[in-house]
Structures are given as structure tokens and as C-alpha cells.
Amino acid sequence: MTGAYFYHNGHLYGEGVRLADIAEEVGTPTYVYSQAAITHSYREIDRAFAAVPHIVCFSLKSNSNLAISRLLAGLGAGADIVSGGELFKAIEAGFDPGKIVYASVGKTVPEIEYALQNRILMFNVESQAEMETIAAVAERLHCRAPIALRLNPDIEAKTHPYITTGMKQYKFGIPTEEALTLYQQAMTLPSLEPVGIQMHIGSQLLKVQPIVDAARKLLEVYDHLREMGLSLRYVDIGGGLGITYRDEAPEGPQVLAKTIVPMIKERDCTLIVEPGRFIVGNAGVLLTRVLYIKRNELKKFVIVDAAMNDLIRPALYDAYHAILPLVEKRETEVVDVVGPVCESGDFLAREREMVIVEQGELLAVQSAGAYGFSMSSNYNARPRAAEVLVSGDHWKLVRRRETYEDLVRGEDQA
């Protein structure tokens, strides 16, 4: 349990708010986020790199709620986006377009046009074909597109294979050995302005050494480019810093900065980092209610009203999320915590020793602030959850629960 969430007089609180009060008023399932925890984590990473010019670009794919984005934009953060929709949300939230970097291996022409019209900081380019498409769109719009090539350094991130991105067998980035040739090509295209170089090797990294190793490869290319006469302004090392879900002891931004900052100081550039999970992961919980208790000859099932459509990480990655009762208890048993979705993969925990709970009780799924709501869906025609932001002893609804009417909005009902 993180510092923002704690038991007081036997009840689980988020900052100064009893979580049961939110559940009773808003219903379940509901995501709850701590403003203090988000602010603390952002400032921790911002301070770690304070010795060099830098921009902390929050990864919107981890959590794109407008209230959270507005909070981070107000703190001075930039945004890391991967779609036209995320660009729209970033602008709506008030992020400075001059602090927005655009990743994704599959940017469409309308998305490229939209980003150019909003004068983002740079595109992180993932292939020669994409670079040539951006050049053509910029030429048609009579502007220059700021770009950075995303290098694939072929470094093992030592994390789950589905969230590893920096090795050659994955779709992301450009091989290091091809980068110089592509930068030379970019320099000949008048509608392109090479301004940076970028990498991102994976997510939920518990050790920083893979990032450091990849950054060294990145900076070797940067130095070669300077020798060629191309002075890039931005070095973007991506994100990926891990958090504690269970008993992990991740190395934090201070450990990473200890090595990265001296590298950047040697060069005349601005550092960009792209954290997402690190800022919001442990700031959020998912509130859910026990619907039924079911037993068979092999197992006991705790059936709750949150499901894989609300939090897909356990089903997708076999990810661990601690689950706590909103009223403190001690006695435990081994159960599966499952949802109502018609899939055997619909579980929040399997073979989990947790406190004994009864029908109607409220639970909090921990460490759910990143890749929770942002990966949710309407599978099984289930309305998506509400979202709440807690600040001190106050809370506010920052996304209403979807209704059945929302499920058919936009469909042909003739």
C-alpha cells in the first residue's frame, strides 16, 4: 500500500477521504486517484534531472484523464502522445504544444497534419517510410516538420516481453546502424527539421542499467551526427521506470539521473524523459464490490463487479495487483477474485491469499492508476467506470460513469 492510501480507525483512506464514502456515493467500479501522490512523483523525477535542461513529458497512454493531465500541465510537464486522439486530449488539458512529443509506429496522414497544425515539439519517427510521409505532408502544408529518429538499440529491458520495445524482434524504432543514413536523408529534405534523437526500450523497468546502456548507444549516434555537422537540440531517453506492485524494489529517477545527467552535461542539448506509470501508477486504486461468493470442489471464487474490461492487466500480463478490504481485516484464505465477464481470463487475482470477505463488501485494487482506465473497454456491453480525484479531505468526480445510452451513442439506431 502506498503512502496516499492507509488504514485509519479500521477504514481505508485515500489522503483524507474514506474510500467507502466515495463508493457509496458514486458506486462501483470506480477509479480513485490521489492528487498528492501524482504531484509528489512528478516533482521527484523533475528534481532528479534539475541539473540539466530537461522536459518531463508525461505519457498520456498510461492515464489520459483530463483532470490529471491538467494537474500535470500546471506543474510544467509536457506530454508524450501516441495518437491524434491523445493530441486532442493533451491540447484540451492545456499542455504546451511546444512540449509535446509524438510517438507511434503508425501515424496517419490526418494525424500528422493535425500535429503540424498544432506545432508540436517533435515527431519521434519510427521508419523511413514514415519519415518520407511526414516530409510530404509538411511540404504540402508549406512548413517544416521537427523530427527525432527513434532508435532501436537492441537492448534487453528485462521486463515482461509484451512491454519490451528496444530489441530488434519488436516493431519499434530504427536499427542503430541505419540511423546515420536516415539522418543524412532527412538533412536533404527541406520540409524536415531534425531536432532530436529518441529511444524507449520498455516499461516497468526495475533496474536502470538497461536504460543507461541504451542511452550510451543513443549518444554515440548523437556524437557522430555532430561530427557530420548536425547539432540536435533534444536527447529523448523515453520512460519505463518501474513501480512497486507487490514486493519489487525499483531503482528510481535519482539512480538513473546519477549516470544520465553527467552524459547530458557533456553535450549542448535538452534531455527529455517520458514517464507515465512512475507518476500515476501507485496514485490510483480501483474500488469494487463483492457480488457473490462461489465455491466448487477445487476453489473459492470472490465474484466482484470490476472485470477485465475495467482492469485488463491481470488477464493480459498476469500482472499482480494487491487487493485490500475497505474495512481492515486480518484472517485470510486462498481465493480467485473474478469479474462478471464471460471469459475464463476475467480475473483480478488467482490463487491469492487475502483477507476473508463476504458478499456486499468493498475492496480496493491497488496500484491501478496506470494502464487501468486507459486500457478499459465496453466488452460485454459494460459501461466504463467512473473516475474520482482526491485532494486532501475533498474529492471530485472527474469522469462520470457511462450509461447504457452511452453504449449505443454514435451507432445507427434506425
Side-chain angles (χ1 to χ4, degrees), residues 200-257:
H200 175 68
I201 64 168
S203 188
Q204 184 55 11
L205 306 183
L206 302 179
K207 300 291 185 182
V208 303
Q209 193 60 48
I211 303 176
V212 171
D213 293 342
R216 287 197 175 103
K217 282 194 172 186
L218 191 77
L219 290 170
E220 286 176 7
V221 177
Y222 173 92
D223 291 339
H224 281 305
L225 292 169
R226 287 186 67 90
E227 292 169 5
M228 292 165 45
L230 179 58
S231 296
L232 302 177
R233 301 195 296 275
Y234 302 101
V235 171
D236 185 339
I237 63 170
L241 290 173
I243 64 171
T244 300
Y245 284 97
R246 188 175 189 174
D247 53 9
E248 305 93 334
E251 295 177 336
Q254 294 85 359
V255 179
L256 179 61

Side-chain angles (χ1 to χ4, degrees), residues 210-412:
I211 303 176
V212 171
D213 293 342
R216 287 197 175 103
K217 282 194 172 186
L218 191 77
L219 290 170
E220 286 176 7
V221 177
Y222 173 92
D223 291 339
H224 281 305
L225 292 169
R226 287 186 67 90
E227 292 169 5
M228 292 165 45
L230 179 58
S231 296
L232 302 177
R233 301 195 296 275
Y234 302 101
V235 171
D236 185 339
I237 63 170
L241 290 173
I243 64 171
T244 300
Y245 284 97
R246 188 175 189 174
D247 53 9
E248 305 93 334
E251 295 177 336
Q254 294 85 359
V255 179
L256 179 61
K258 186 176 180 179
T259 304
I260 295 295
V261 165
M263 295 180 183
I264 298 300
K265 280 186 174 180
E266 295 174 2
R267 297 163 174 90
D268 183 22
C269 62
T270 295
L271 176 70
I272 296 175
V273 292
E274 301 171 353
R277 185 193 315 265
F278 180 82
I279 292 177
V280 295
N282 280 329
V285 299
L286 173 61
L287 303 184
T288 184
R289 188 179 293 274
V290 178
L291 298 175
Y292 305 106
I293 304 296
K294 178 179 178 178
R295 296 174 178 84
N296 64 22
E297 63 272 20
L298 293 178
K299 287 191 174 188
K300 180 176 180 179
F301 299 94
V302 176
I303 303 170
V304 297
D305 62 3
M308 65 185 295
N309 74 292
D310 301 300
L311 180 64
I312 199 172
R313 294 190 73 256
L316 188 61
Y317 307 126
D318 201 25
Y320 181 95
H321 288 264
I323 302 175
L324 299 177
L326 267 56
V327 176
E328 193 169 16
K329 292 184 164 190
R330 300 295 181 190
E331 194 175 350
T332 65
E333 63 182 345
V334 176
V335 299
D336 283 12
V337 182
V338 301
V341 162
C342 292
E343 298 277 352
S344 295
D346 177 28
F347 63 88
L348 300 179
R350 291 190 295 191
E351 297 294 322
R352 176 75 59 83
E353 182 174 0
M354 58 177 282
V355 297
I356 298 174
V357 295
E358 303 297 334
Q359 182 173 337
E361 285 194 50
L362 292 163
L363 306 175
V365 184
Q366 302 289 289
S367 305
Y371 305 102
F373 186 92
S374 67
M375 294 180 75
S376 65
S377 74
N378 292 124
Y379 186 46
N380 279 198
R382 286 171 52 84
R384 286 187 296 175
E387 292 179 286
V388 165
L389 183 64
V390 171
S391 178
D393 58 0
H394 295 86
W395 62 271
K396 63 179 177 180
L397 184 68
V398 293
R399 182 185 176 103
R400 65 168 176 80
R401 187 178 313 284
E402 288 183 341
T403 65
Y404 289 158
E405 288 73 21
D406 290 324
L407 296 176
V408 296
R409 199 176 308 280
E411 295 186 27
D412 183 0

Side-chain angles (χ1 to χ4, degrees), residues 33-82:
Y33 310 110
S34 161
Q35 180 170 317
I38 294 167
T39 301
H40 173 81
S41 295
Y42 170 79
R43 287 178 172 159
E44 182 180 354
I45 197 166
D46 189 40
R47 284 194 299 265
F49 296 100
V52 294
H54 69 280
I55 306 172
V56 179
C57 289
F58 172 64
S59 176
L60 255 69
K61 64 180 173 287
S62 66
N63 189 319
S64 62
N65 181 276
L66 279 179
I68 290 173
S69 292
R70 288 189 181 115
L71 169 63
L72 290 166
L75 292 171
D80 162 43
I81 63 165
V82 295

